[in-house]
Amino acid sequence: DLRRAVVAKHGSVAKAADHLSACGGDVGGSGRIALSELQRDLQEAGYALTLQEMAVLFTAVRVPCSEQATISKKEMLRLENFEVHLDPSDDVTQRQASTLKALRARRLLMGTMAAADLRVARLHCALVRIRRLQEGRSADREEIGE
């Protein structure tokens, strides 16, 4: 999907890499491509993909990356023949595929929610995380005898 979107917008992955590595933006330029600029560029063409999803896709083709990352033109060119860099039996590839599925499901579910419902859902998730952290601290204290 990502490669198709890049090619649809720019004609090729190489042309996209040249364009995005020269334009800079908040981050990038000087031969580097900010993932956030790539996302913004593709969103203008109607391609909906979160930074997290994009980072997972690049990590799957062995590009160390995060949502704040910049990648080199050479790393972006791995999209042209990503099949070469993927090993379906590899643990990393399988984990990335599972993570990508979860992120896509979250995007689809959250994208259909009204703003107020979305806020309530995020608040609920935050409270669950806080509760889990508190439970973990309690368990840690019990282990050390407090």
Side-chain angles (χ1 to χ4, degrees):
D1 286 349
L2 179 57
R3 177 177 57 187
R4 229 175 292 146
V6 168
V7 171
K9 170 117 193 222
H10 293 279
S12 73
V13 175
K15 288 179 183 176
D18 287 339
H19 168 73
L20 292 166
S21 65
C23 71
D26 295 337
V27 183
S30 302
R32 304 286 300 171
I33 301 159
L35 238 50
S36 57
E37 288 299 316
L38 175 58
Q39 181 202 30
R40 190 173 304 127
D41 183 63
L42 295 177
Q43 280 183 337
E44 289 171 2
Y47 186 66
L49 190 72
T50 65
L51 282 172
Q52 296 91 353
E53 289 171 286
M54 204 170 282
V56 166
L57 288 168
F58 276 105
T59 302
V61 293
R62 306 298 190 261
V63 175
C65 127
S66 70
E67 295 117 48
Q68 294 83 29
T70 61
I71 59 175
S72 69
K73 288 169 55 173
K74 183 178 179 181
E75 290 169 330
M76 178 147 174
L77 290 174
R78 290 188 186 187
L79 287 180
E80 283 199 329
N81 58 354
F82 72 90
E83 297 90 348
V84 172
H85 303 284
L86 288 177
D87 177 4
S89 63
D90 181 55
D91 286 344
V92 172
T93 302
Q94 290 176 6
R95 278 193 307 269
Q96 297 304 75
S98 295
T99 302
L100 186 61
K101 285 178 190 175
L103 288 170
R104 286 182 172 168
R106 181 181 79 180
R107 177 172 41 91
L108 292 172
L109 290 171
M110 301 293 262
T112 61
M113 297 175 84
D117 293 334
L118 190 55
R119 283 188 200 103
V120 170
R122 287 184 175 148
L123 179 61
H124 172 74
C125 290
L127 290 171
V128 167
R129 279 190 217 111
I130 290 169
R131 200 171 303 129
R132 286 181 183 159
L133 284 171
Q134 289 172 338
E135 289 169 1
R137 287 186 188 135
S138 295
D140 290 344
R141 287 184 183 138
E142 287 174 15
E143 280 184 29
I144 59 173
E146 286 184 14

